[in-house]
Structures are given as structure tokens and as C-alpha cells.
Amino acid sequence: MSDATDPWLIVGLGNPGPEYAANRHNVGFMVADLLAERIGGKFKRAQKAQAQVVEGRIGPPGPLSRRVVLAKPMSYMNLSGGPVSALRDFYKVPTDHVVAVHDELDVDFGVLRLKSGGGDNGHNGLKSMTKAMGADYHRVRFGIGRPPGRMQVADFVLKDFSSAERKELAYLVDRSADAVECLLAEGLERAQSAYNS
């Protein structure tokens, strides 16, 4: 069982490479980048995993401060589990201190949902993580909504946010980073009541 001194591993899910940077599927990377900026860190290549990491502390100084490793797997979304479980093992992070930040089709754009455990809902990044280390990790689900008309899901998630969505995106990424910080400092129930919309 984890305790307050155990580190947290915050994983932003996405695909590496500039061609994917603004895709809906890469919103996890966007949130991880903002969290890194907040703690004054720069991502660097991890020694023990195919990922980029930043180490630091989140939260106010004192008992609510949490030791964190922010990570962006560089393996492509479908293979995220390998790098994440390698980082979890290397940093000795209990699985219930792992947080995946990811896009979620079954939640409307602009809506956030936090939860612990559960299924992968067809999300290949989560499927890979669950296969590698079980399902007992936290998820910060960033709603992107369903594809319009007959557009295939794969095409939709690999498209950039629409111009209307981009007007709200910075605010929503900021809110997601706040939700991660709240989860670490105050626990899941408190974060859910504050951020689940």
C-alpha cells in the first residue's frame, strides 16, 4: 500500500513528433508540458525507458508537497505500457500513484473526468498501460467528444483541435493541470468533486 512519501508518476499520453503535436490524441502531452513549466523543469530523455521525464515537486511547500516524475512516453500511443511500467519500476512508484492524462472520446469536449481503475474504453494507450501493470492507476480524462458524421475514430483523434476548440484549449489544459495537482494534494474524491463536470 502506498503512503504520502511515495513518489507520483504523472504520464501524459500522446505520440512523439511535431506532426502529432497539436492532435486531439496529444492532449496528455500538452498537460504534461504545462505541469513541467509550472515546476520549472525541462523534459529530458529517461535513462531506463523510452520516454522523456522531468523530476520535481508539485504543490505548496510543506506536507502537501508531492515528489513527482512527469513523463511523456516516446513509444507511440499504442505501446505506452512498456515505458510507463519501466518508469514505475525504476522510480519505485506504487501503481495507485500513477496518473494517466489522456483524451477521452466518450466525454464531451471541455468536460473533465477523474477516476481510478476501470476499463480502457477502447483507448489504445490505456489498453497498453493496463496490460503492462494492471488497471489500478488514476486517469484524468480530457473530453474530446465523438467524431462528426462518419469520420473514423482513428482519423478524428489524429486531427488537430478545431479552431472553435482551440479558443478554449489553453484554459482546459490549465484546468486539467490544476486537477492533477488537486488529486495529488487532496485525493481523488476531493479532485472529482472540484473538477468532474
Side-chain angles (χ1 to χ4, degrees), residues 1 13 19 23 129 141 157 178 184:
M1 198 58 201
L13 292 179
E19 68 273 32
N23 288 179
M129 281 180 62
R141 305 158 72 206
V157 298
D178 291 347
L184 269 55

Side-chain angles (χ1 to χ4, degrees), residues 2 6 43 45-46 51 67 77 81 94 104 108 118 131 141 144 153 158-159 161 166 168 176:
S2 56
D6 286 320
F43 278 99
R45 188 185 299 169
R67 193 156 62 92
M77 182 69 85
E104 179 61 64
D108 291 339
K131 187 175 174 193
R141 305 158 72 206
I144 61 169
V153 164
L158 293 176
K159 280 205 170 357
F161 286 98
R166 281 198 297 272
E168 292 180 75
S176 302

Side-chain angles (χ1 to χ4, degrees), residues 167-190:
K167 290 188 174 80
E168 292 180 75
L169 189 57
Y171 164 75
L172 295 169
V173 167
D174 194 63
R175 194 163 181 272
S176 302
D178 291 347
V180 170
E181 292 186 354
C182 182
L183 169 64
L184 269 55
E186 301 182 51
L188 180 62
E189 283 182 29
R190 179 78 189 86

